[in-house]
Amino acid sequence: MQRLSFVSKAQNLLMLQTILKNAKVLPLVITSMKEIQENEDKVLESIAKLTQNNPTNLLIIRSSSKSEDSVESSNAGAFLSIPNVAPNDIETLKASLVKVGNSMPNLDDEILIQPMLENIAMCGVATSADKDTLAPYYCIEYDKSGSNSSITDGSAKGLSFFSHKDAELPNDFALQSVIKMLKELEVLFDCPFLDVEFAIDKKQDLYCLQVRPLVIKSKLNLYNALPLEVLERLQKRFVSLQKQTPDVYGKRTIFGVMPDWNPAEILGLKPKRLALSLYKEIITDNIWAYQRDNYGYLALRSHPLMHSFLGIPYIDVRLSFNSFIPKTLNKKIASKLVDYYLDTLEANPQFHDKIEFNIVFSCYDLNIPNKLRVLLERRFNENEIKRLEFALLELTNSIINPKKGLYLKDLKKIQKLKGIYQELEDSNLPTLDKIYWLLESCKRYGTLPFAGIARAGFVAMSLLNSLVEIGFFTHQEKHDFLNSLSTVSKNLSIKVAHLDSETKEEFLAEFGHLRPSTYNILSPRYDESFESYFDLDSKQKLNLEDSHFVLSKQKLESLNTLLSEHGLKIEAKEFLKFLKKAIEGREYAKFEFTRLLSRALVLIGEFGEYYGIPKEEMAHLDIQSILNLYASLYSKSPKERFLEEIKRHKEEYALTLALKLPMLITDRAQIIHFFEQEIVPNFITQKSISAMVAQTSQSELEDKIVLIESADPGFDYLFAKGIAGLITCYGGANSHMAIRASELGLPAAIGVGEEAFEKYIKAKRIKLDCESGQIIVL
């Protein structure tokens, strides 16, 4: 079979018109400004034949420049295309031809004219490899709105489907057709890296609208990094983890990257080994379960909460749901409840990052009797619901107790951390020993009490929100209460607002240990890269609302009555103190334990330097490899052992970067092919940058991360402004801006969704870490 070569948008389609078996190509006319100037009538006559069988059919006039759709650059959206041109309106037709022709640099650049496809059922863009890593996936982004441009212009809120290239075809007929077309085109062009626009009409006929090579120059090439058998092994592990152990309720499990201790938010989707292993060591292997047990929930010690699926951190959601069951609850009700939680999450995957708000009943609040009524619809009887309510009440009373509440003991533990930290700093212990004891102290006096205080903080916020839900507080009163709190964040903002050369040293003594990615050794601390985070020449505006929150005597009496009626054993004044202490304490506890963790990361870097291993390499080392040296001496030198392990982990990390998995895995089949319908930003490139935020209305955009609402080609001027990165509210992996950013190697997050976009607009500085899939407000 003769292999085809890429020529141009128009010529590629012309070649395919008679030989493509798995899709159709619409009739077409190819012309140029040169030909129009020489023989306009002949060109118009050829165009007229396109719609002679259907005179009402509109036309699309598309650019097909020599500088488009090449292996060097797609130049996607660089030149004009005009849809919905009436063929019988000759003057408009001629004007449109001229506009498209003049948008291209050369007189002999081609102009492509085709009938507009009618009755579109589905349209989209499909690639035969991941656009950024070239990993072996068929990636199909599509829209069923009937629009023929929603995917490429970024306006669609469409669907995405991913399938490993060696997997069996999906059951869905439309997706099956698209993949068959891709496979045929790969053979015809002898190229595994294709970018194809397609549409399916209501007769289920598939049309190839455009085919071009993916630009692969200077890209990470992971095409051979992920054999299918690796995913099949993961499938087997997923199936084996479904089995139920005697002390865990639930007939099956689900895995997610955002529930509970939300590793995707804390670590990113694809953290390096050191960050991942540190999180396991100081929180998700044991500490998380000890805290839940201490606070009156089911005892699940020895059960790791987080699993690494080929380097991507996933929470065992069944285990998480079990850990929110009061230990006094009847076993039959507990089992029934866990299955209800799992069923609810599977039916509502959009709740994966908000399970305690939308699914789980983990504490008592002043609106819980109403919230529990939903269980009546799920075959729970009144008696079972009442028993759950009382178990939650008993547990909550033990947490909020003004004299014996466990969070009070945890706050005292946290207060010891500064002294422990200073003792270790002042000691003459070797670097290895300091690392060991910093992390041991971090667990015992840091993350364990932090987990408890964070639980109390969640209970406090649930109680506060329920006061609004039942109408006891207004939204403004809740707002005023929260603004009256003295938190670490508020204190930091005040200090930053008054930051100058004289206060810099004092500021760094207090806040210098902070780093945007808490577990990432490659993320500089404030005291390591001050200028990256702060500008002494630019005075910060302090927009803090400070309020003194006081309840009237009458309101306090009403609150006392309300608490008593609900069986909450606490007086109103003590209740408000609990809310204040728990919410403030959560931030304070995290601030303090990260001091030890951050110092440990610094020492790990120094430990690597001692052996001639840079931090960039140490980031791939498992923390256990360092901690094991504290009590074990091996025949091989630490350097030799480290380098061997780093080499292996870097090879595994290449596989991690190639891997695509859904945010929530409910079925083994999803490990090989899956739909992604949730709002998950499309990260472009593998780069990481930190920069000030700007909107396009601002004059100075150089070296800033620019935020725009949609991925519209009209924003191409931004690429000439020297911007550092790009974040869009809407858009998909195959939108115009995604393609352009990918080609230019510009770090970008395309389609973060409205809620996240609003948050980023309000930020002053952002870290955009495309490799780990994180956007961090600094």
Side-chain angles (χ1 to χ4, degrees):
M1 182 193 296
Q2 184 180 358
R3 296 290 182 251
L4 303 180
S5 298
F6 295 105
V7 181
S8 68
K9 184 188 301 178
Q11 295 298 332
N12 294 346
L13 290 174
L14 182 64
M15 288 186 290
L16 291 171
Q17 209 168 30
T18 55
I19 61 173
L20 189 60
K21 294 184 176 67
N22 286 296
K24 297 179 178 181
V25 176
L26 289 162
L28 54 86
V29 168
I30 303 173
T31 186
S32 65
M33 282 302 295
K34 183 179 178 184
E35 187 178 0
I36 291 170
Q37 290 170 2
E38 290 173 355
N39 198 336
E40 183 181 80
D41 290 342
K42 184 181 176 184
V43 171
L44 293 174
E45 187 180 325
S46 299
I47 294 172
K49 291 177 182 177
L50 286 177
T51 57
Q52 61 186 2
N53 295 327
N54 185 3
T56 61
N57 203 164
L58 300 174
L59 301 172
I60 181 166
I61 301 172
R62 309 168 70 188
S63 63
S64 180
S65 172
K66 296 170 187 173
S67 56
E68 285 183 282
D69 299 350
S70 71
V71 293
E72 298 293 321
S73 170
S74 74
N75 253 333
F79 308 116
L80 197 60
S81 287
I82 302 177
N84 301 313
V85 178
N88 51 4
D89 185 345
I90 300 301
E91 292 308 311
T92 301
L93 174 59
K94 289 196 291 187
S96 298
L97 288 167
V98 171
K99 281 181 183 176
V100 173
N102 287 340
S103 73
M104 296 180 287
N106 305 304
L107 280 176
D108 60 348
D109 275 333
E110 295 169 339
I111 303 171
L112 171 63
I113 305 99
Q114 289 179 289
M116 290 284 291
L117 186 61
E118 297 178 325
N119 300 314
I120 293 174
M122 170 177 160
C123 76
V125 178
T127 60
S128 58
D130 179 84
K131 192 168 67 276
D132 292 309
T133 65
L134 306 180
Y137 283 91
Y138 289 120
C139 308
I140 306 171
E141 189 175 357
Y142 61 97
D143 175 55
K144 292 187 172 182
S145 68
S147 165
N148 56 11
S149 64
S150 58
I151 294 296
T152 53
D153 68 14
S155 64
K157 291 188 177 179
L159 305 168
S160 297
F161 177 77
F162 304 97
S163 177
H164 193 281
K165 294 185 74 167
D166 294 331
E168 293 181 5
L169 290 171
N171 294 326
D172 184 280
F173 176 76
L175 295 172
Q176 195 177 105
S177 302
V178 173
I179 291 176
K180 283 180 179 178
M181 173 188 67
L182 284 170
K183 286 179 180 288
E184 184 183 359
L185 289 169
E186 285 180 278
V187 173
L188 287 171
F189 284 97
D190 191 22
C191 177
F193 308 121
L194 299 177
D195 183 346
V196 179
E197 290 181 23
F198 68 89
I200 298 175
D201 67 14
K202 290 180 180 175
K203 294 179 182 177
Q204 293 295 297
D205 287 331
L206 173 64
Y207 290 85
C208 177
L209 304 180
Q210 182 171 320
V211 57
R212 61 188 174 204
L214 278 171
V215 177
I216 64 173
K217 182 180 64 174
S218 304
K219 285 188 179 176
L220 188 65
N221 190 335
L222 298 175
Y223 191 72
N224 297 311
L226 187 64
L228 183 63
E229 54 262 31
V230 172
L231 297 184
E232 289 171 341
R233 274 208 315 277
L234 178 53
Q235 280 187 319
K236 288 177 183 175
R237 183 61 185 144
F238 177 83
V239 170
S240 68
L241 288 169
Q242 300 299 311
K243 291 176 182 174
Q244 200 173 351
T245 56
D247 56 341
V248 174
Y249 301 115
K251 295 170 186 167
R252 71 195 190 289
T253 191
I254 292 171
F255 288 91
V257 298
M258 281 300 292
D260 209 329
W261 279 91
N262 47 26
E265 181 183 350
I266 305 300
L267 302 174
L269 284 173
K270 297 178 179 181
K272 293 184 175 70
R273 180 61 69 99
L274 180 61
L276 180 65
S277 60
L278 274 169
Y279 201 52
K280 286 169 65 67
E281 171 67 19
I282 68 172
I283 292 176
T284 65
D285 274 356
N286 297 296
I287 294 297
W288 79 280
Y290 281 33
Q291 176 274 310
R292 302 265 164 94
D293 183 14
N294 289 344
Y295 272 60
Y297 297 98
L298 288 182
L300 295 164
R301 301 187 184 209
S302 302
H303 287 278
L305 179 66
M306 185 175 75
H307 292 255
S308 171
F309 286 171
L310 302 173
I312 299 180
Y314 275 88
I315 295 295
D316 182 339
V317 182
R318 171 174 58 187
L319 207 58
S320 172
F321 285 158
N322 271 265
S323 76
F324 292 125
I325 300 288
K327 62 176 63 173
T328 59
L329 189 65
N330 172 274
K331 289 183 178 181
K332 183 180 175 183
I333 301 172
S335 178
K336 199 172 174 180
L337 200 56
V338 171
D339 283 327
Y340 159 73
Y341 292 157
L342 290 164
D343 291 343
T344 304
L345 179 59
E346 186 168 7
N348 301 275
Q350 70 274 17
F351 294 159
H352 73 113
D353 57 349
K354 46 187 83 69
I355 60 169
E356 276 201 84
F357 297 98
N358 296 82
I359 297 176
V360 170
F361 305 110
S362 63
C363 68
Y364 190 91
D365 68 50
L366 299 156
N367 196 28
I368 201 75
N370 292 325
K371 293 175 182 175
L372 292 175
R373 304 307 291 172
V374 70
L375 295 176
L376 287 172
E377 302 164 16
R378 300 302 296 269
R379 298 181 180 177
F380 285 80
N381 60 44
E382 293 278 4
N383 177 262
E384 290 171 326
I385 293 171
K386 208 67 184 170
R387 291 174 78 174
L388 172 59
E389 183 183 326
F390 279 126
L392 291 172
L393 178 62
E394 184 182 12
L395 181 145
T396 304
N397 271 322
S398 72
I399 292 174
I400 67 174
N401 188 298
K403 291 183 179 178
K404 297 180 181 179
L406 282 172
Y407 80 99
L408 295 170
K409 294 178 183 176
D410 284 336
L411 280 169
K412 287 179 181 177
K413 273 189 179 179
I414 286 285
Q415 288 164 3
K416 295 180 181 180
L417 271 181
K418 269 190 181 177
I420 292 169
Y421 172 82
Q422 202 56 53
E423 277 183 34
L424 286 168
E425 273 296 278
D426 296 341
S427 73
N428 59 359
L429 288 172
T431 301
L432 171 63
D433 297 39
K434 280 189 177 182
I435 293 169
Y436 180 86
W437 287 111
L438 278 168
L439 293 179
E440 282 298 307
S441 301
C442 185
K443 286 188 289 185
R444 185 175 176 184
Y445 295 100
T447 53
L448 180 57
F450 163 69
I453 298 162
R455 171 70 3 212
F458 178 84
V459 171
M461 284 304 301
S462 297
L463 288 164
L464 181 61
N465 289 331
S466 69
L467 286 171
V468 178
E469 290 165 13
I470 64 172
F472 185 85
F473 274 178
T474 64
H475 285 283
Q476 185 59 47
E477 284 174 317
K478 173 190 165 183
H479 180 72
D480 290 344
F481 174 77
L482 292 174
N483 277 329
S484 72
L485 302 180
S486 176
T487 62
V488 171
S489 297
K490 183 182 282 190
N491 188 28
L492 176 63
S493 298
I494 292 168
K495 295 288 177 69
V496 169
H498 298 97
L499 194 56
D500 56 30
S501 56
E502 292 181 7
T503 59
K504 177 182 172 182
E505 188 176 340
E506 181 188 345
F507 173 83
L508 288 178
E510 185 174 359
F511 298 102
H513 69 278
L514 296 177
R515 60 177 89 221
S517 297
T518 304
Y519 295 80
N520 185 359
I521 193 173
L522 302 179
S523 177
R525 292 160 46 117
Y526 284 1
D527 57 11
E528 291 174 337
S529 187
F530 181 82
E531 290 74 18
S532 299
Y533 303 112
F534 308 104
D535 184 359
L536 293 180
D537 297 326
S538 174
K539 285 298 171 188
Q540 305 284 328
K541 288 184 179 177
L542 190 62
N543 295 317
L544 292 177
E545 296 176 41
D546 209 356
S547 62
H548 185 60
F549 182 83
V550 179
L551 283 187
S552 66
K553 185 179 178 182
Q554 184 181 357
K555 194 89 169 177
L556 274 174
E557 288 174 358
S558 297
L559 181 55
N560 262 326
T561 303
L562 182 64
L563 294 170
S564 177
E565 286 173 351
H566 277 266
L568 288 165
K569 298 174 182 178
I570 191 169
E571 295 292 317
K573 286 184 179 179
E574 292 290 350
F575 175 78
L576 293 173
K577 279 184 187 176
F578 162 74
L579 298 186
K580 176 180 169 63
K581 281 186 180 179
I583 297 170
E584 289 177 349
R586 178 170 51 188
E587 269 197 53
Y588 164 70
K590 184 173 185 179
F591 178 74
E592 290 300 335
F593 93 70
T594 55
R595 190 189 308 275
L596 277 72
L597 174 59
S598 187
R599 182 59 181 156
L601 284 170
V602 170
L603 293 177
I604 289 167
E606 292 176 5
F607 198 51
E609 284 174 18
Y610 176 80
Y611 289 110
I613 305 173
K615 278 196 294 190
E616 289 74 16
E617 298 289 296
M618 293 296 284
H620 290 281
L621 192 66
D622 195 296
I623 189 60
Q624 292 303 325
S625 299
I626 298 173
L627 298 181
N628 287 343
L629 295 177
Y630 179 75
S632 300
L633 183 68
Y634 300 95
S635 58
K636 284 185 180 179
S637 72
K639 179 177 181 177
E640 197 176 347
R641 289 170 58 83
F642 287 174
L643 290 175
E644 285 177 3
E645 186 176 319
I646 288 167
K647 182 175 181 291
R648 188 173 70 252
H649 289 164
K650 286 176 78 173
E651 289 169 359
E652 291 174 1
Y653 191 62
L655 186 150
T656 304
L657 292 178
L659 184 62
K660 285 186 177 294
L661 289 173
M663 303 287 274
L664 204 65
I665 306 176
T666 58
D667 185 89
R668 68 188 294 272
Q670 293 172 307
I671 291 167
I672 289 177
H673 48 228
F674 64 94
F675 293 91
E676 185 66 87
Q677 294 175 268
E678 300 304 303
I679 297 176
V680 180
N682 299 281
F683 289 95
I684 312 299
T685 78
Q686 302 293 314
K687 297 177 182 176
S688 175
I689 56 162
S690 297
M692 300 294 286
V693 169
Q695 295 185 62
T696 52
S697 57
Q698 295 170 230
S699 56
E700 289 295 323
L701 299 179
E702 188 175 352
D703 295 328
K704 293 180 180 176
I705 295 175
V706 176
L707 279 75
I708 56 175
E709 274 207 349
S710 60
D712 182 85
F715 286 102
D716 263 18
Y717 72 90
L718 293 172
F719 299 125
K721 294 281 188 180
I723 64 174
L726 183 70
I727 296 176
T728 74
C729 181
Y730 304 113
N734 286 298
S735 67
H736 170 74
M737 282 297 190
I739 292 169
R740 297 293 284 127
S742 178
E743 289 170 5
L744 295 169
L746 183 76
I750 306 297
V752 299
E754 295 171 359
E755 187 175 339
F757 190 76
E758 286 300 315
K759 181 173 77 172
Y760 303 145
I761 278 180
K762 294 172 185 173
K764 285 188 169 62
R765 193 177 188 91
I766 276 176
K767 179 177 181 181
L768 177 56
D769 188 346
C770 297
E771 185 177 84
S772 66
Q774 278 183 301
I775 304 174
I776 302 166
V777 175
L778 301 177

